[in-house]
Amino acid sequence: MKIVICGGNKEADFVIRAFKKAGHTITVINGNEAIARQLSENNGIDVILSDPTKVYSYKDADVYDYDLIVSLLENDEDNFVVCKIAKQLFNVKKAICTVQNPDNVAVFKKLGVDSPISASYLLTEKIKGESDVESLIKTLSLENEKIMITEILIKDTFALVGKCLKEVKFPHECNVCCIYRDSTMIIPRGDTKIASGDTVVIASTPSDQEEIVSYMKRED
Amino acid sequence: MIGKSEKKTIVVIGSSKLGASIASYNSSRGIYTVIVDKDASSFKKLDPNFSGFTVEGNAEEQYVLLKAHVDTAKEVDIVTDNDNTNIFIACFLVKFYKIPYINVRLHDTTKSCLLPHEVNIISPYLLSLNLYKELKAKEEDK
C-alpha cells in the first residue's frame, strides 16, 4: 500500500515504524523542522518539511492515487481539511485522522472521513466494556463497531454449564464462533456441551451484546 | 421572536473585523443578527449601536451553533480568521442544515474546491488582485 502520514510527533514515529515494517511505501509530511529531522533519523526515511494543511505540500509530495492518508495534526478542523484535500484533490482512497473532540467522530464520518479516531472516545468505550462485564469478558469490535466479538469465561455457577449449545436459547441472533477449553480450540456444534472453565467466543451486533452477555451470566 | 417556519436570522461566525462589520451592518438594517466568537473580547469590534445577540463559544461545536439559531437562519456568514475552521463549519452546515445562503471567507484560494457548491466564497486575495488590475487599467487609460 502507498501511505501518506501527516503531522504528529511520537505517534507519527510509531505509525511510520509499523507501516515500514509491514513493507508499505510511505511518504511523510511534517511542518515542524525538529520533529521532521527526528522522524527522518529514527526511521531512515526522507521526510518532507512542509505545512501539511497546504494543498501544495501534497502536490510536491506527489501523493496522487495513494491508498491511505493518516492525519495526526492537533486541531480537528486541520485534520478534516487534510483528509478532504487528500481524498478530493488527490484521489487518495481512504482517510484516517485523530480527533480531539469525541463528538467529532460521528460528524467526521458523515462528512466523508473514513476513520476518525478519538483517544477519549476509545477510552470511554474501553471503560464501558471493562466495567459492564468485569474481567472475565473481553470484547473486540470490527468493521467500525458493526460487529462485536465477545469472549466470556464460563464460571461453574452459570446456569449454562452442562447444556448443549442447541438447548441454549440466546435472546438475540448471535453465533458461537469457538470454545477454548484446556488449551485447545473447539469448533462448536449443536451437541457441544458448555463446561465450567470454557472461554466462549461469540459474534453479535453491538446493540445485542449486553443482553447476550447478561443471559450467559445467569446463575439460576 | 423568530418563528421556526420563517427564516430570517443572519448568523455571523467569527467576530473578526469583517465579521463584526457585517453583523453591525445587518443589525442596523433591522435584521435579527447573531454573532458568534470563542473570545468575548472580540465583540468590542461591534458597532456601539449593535442591537443583535452575541454568543460566546466555539462554533465548531454543534450546541454553540444551535444556541446561535443556525437552524432558523436565512444566511450564515463564516468569517473566522482560520480557513480550515471556515471550511469545516461550512461543510457541517451544508450537510446538516438547510440554510439558503452561506458565505465563507477564504484566504487560500487553492482550497476553494473543498467547499460545497452551494456556498459563496469571499476571497480577499481575488478581490485585491482584481482591484489592482482595475487600478492598473485606469492608469493605462490615462
Side-chain angles (χ1 to χ4, degrees):
Chain A
M1 276 211 298
K2 292 206 274 186
I3 303 166
V4 54
I5 300 156
C6 307
N9 188 356
K10 298 269 183 259
E11 65 279 35
D13 196 47
F14 185 82
V15 169
I16 292 164
R17 216 176 323 136
F19 284 148
K20 206 180 160 213
K21 208 172 154 198
H24 299 298
T25 306
I26 41 181
T27 298
V28 181
I29 302 175
N30 203 297
N32 180 305
E33 198 177 339
I35 295 172
R37 188 172 300 126
Q38 193 69 45
L39 291 176
S40 173
E41 280 172 14
N42 287 358
N43 298 289
I45 50 163
D46 288 333
V47 173
I48 298 166
L49 177 62
S50 189
D51 182 350
T53 67
K54 301 286 186 203
V55 177
Y56 59 72
S57 301
Y58 299 88
K59 206 173 260 174
D60 295 346
D62 196 22
V63 297
Y64 286 99
D65 298 326
Y66 264 44
D67 298 291
L68 175 68
I69 178 150
V70 182
S71 185
L72 304 168
L73 300 168
E74 277 168 35
N75 290 325
D76 289 3
E77 65 274 19
D78 288 342
N79 278 323
F80 174 73
V81 167
V82 164
C83 291
K84 237 176 137 48
I85 290 174
K87 289 194 84 168
Q88 239 167 284
L89 305 182
F90 294 89
N91 197 29
V92 174
K93 290 177 198 75
K94 214 173 164 196
I96 297 180
C97 73
T98 49
V99 291
Q100 299 293 329
N101 177 356
D103 293 338
N104 275 343
V105 171
V107 174
F108 275 37
K109 274 186 192 167
K110 287 198 176 123
L111 294 177
V113 176
D114 304 287
S115 300
I117 298 163
S118 151
S120 31
Y121 182 85
L122 290 179
L123 188 66
T124 325
E125 290 297 304
K126 181 82 188 155
I127 292 168
K128 265 201 257 167
E130 299 273 343
S131 57
D132 276 3
V133 288
E134 303 151 23
S135 59
L136 61 159
I137 293 155
K138 289 182 201 151
T139 75
L140 169 74
S141 74
L142 300 177
E143 280 300 309
N144 280 332
E145 290 146 30
K146 290 193 183 76
I147 304 171
M148 291 305 260
I149 306 289
T150 315
E151 195 184 292
I152 306 176
L153 178 66
I154 304 296
K155 286 203 219 165
D156 52 5
T157 50
F158 288 5
L160 288 172
V161 173
K163 281 194 181 165
C164 291
L165 277 180
K166 63 182 172 196
E167 295 166 4
V168 181
K169 302 259 179 300
F170 286 103
H172 294 284
E173 288 274 301
C174 65
N175 191 12
V176 177
C177 314
C178 74
I179 294 176
Y180 191 68
R181 180 185 295 163
D182 302 330
S183 315
T184 48
M185 192 189 79
I186 302 168
I187 298 293
R189 296 188 320 201
D191 58 0
T192 305
K193 275 189 182 163
I194 297 174
S196 161
D198 282 359
T199 299
V200 178
V201 180
I202 294 178
S204 69
T205 64
S207 52
D208 295 343
Q209 185 195 27
E210 214 176 305
E211 272 189 66
I212 292 169
V213 168
S214 48
Y215 173 78
M216 295 200 63
K217 283 170 68 189
R218 277 183 323 135
E219 300 199 345
D220 44 81
Chain B
M1 282 300 287
I2 36 170
K4 284 269 172 198
S5 56
E6 224 180 323
K7 297 197 169 206
K8 48 184 182 177
T9 316
I10 291 185
V11 179
V12 180
I13 295 168
S15 191
S16 53
K17 183 106 174 108
L18 177 64
S21 306
I22 291 173
S24 302
Y25 170 69
N26 286 318
S27 166
S28 74
R29 290 163 65 221
I31 301 166
Y32 184 95
T33 308
V34 184
I35 185 159
V36 187
D37 201 288
K38 56 184 165 194
D39 178 11
S41 68
S42 59
F43 297 133
K44 283 184 204 152
K45 294 173 206 154
L46 288 161
D47 189 281
N49 298 321
F50 176 73
S51 59
F53 290 81
T54 57
V55 172
E56 186 188 350
N58 186 347
E60 283 152 32
E61 307 210 13
Q62 199 173 358
Y63 78 95
V64 175
L65 291 171
L66 287 174
K67 218 163 130 188
H69 300 298
V70 286
D71 47 338
T72 53
K74 66 170 176 185
E75 177 184 319
V76 177
D77 303 304
I78 309 167
V79 289
T80 78
D81 287 324
N82 186 318
D83 277 356
N84 293 348
T85 302
N86 294 351
I87 292 170
F88 174 64
I89 296 172
C91 292
F92 179 83
L93 290 179
V94 168
K95 180 85 186 172
F96 296 103
Y97 298 98
K98 284 201 168 10
I99 300 164
Y101 293 101
I102 299 181
N103 302 316
V104 180
R105 170 169 60 187
L106 203 61
H107 291 288
D108 182 353
T109 47
T110 58
K111 290 180 184 164
S112 313
C113 42
L114 301 179
L115 283 163
H117 317 293
E118 297 92 327
V119 309
N120 303 310
I121 299 170
I122 299 172
S123 158
Y125 156 75
L126 285 179
L127 291 172
S128 312
L129 183 65
N130 288 340
L131 180 62
Y132 172 82
K133 285 178 184 166
E134 270 174 41
L135 291 172
K136 207 75 186 155
K138 260 187 216 164
E139 185 191 304
E140 278 157 18
D141 279 349
K142 273 179 197 167

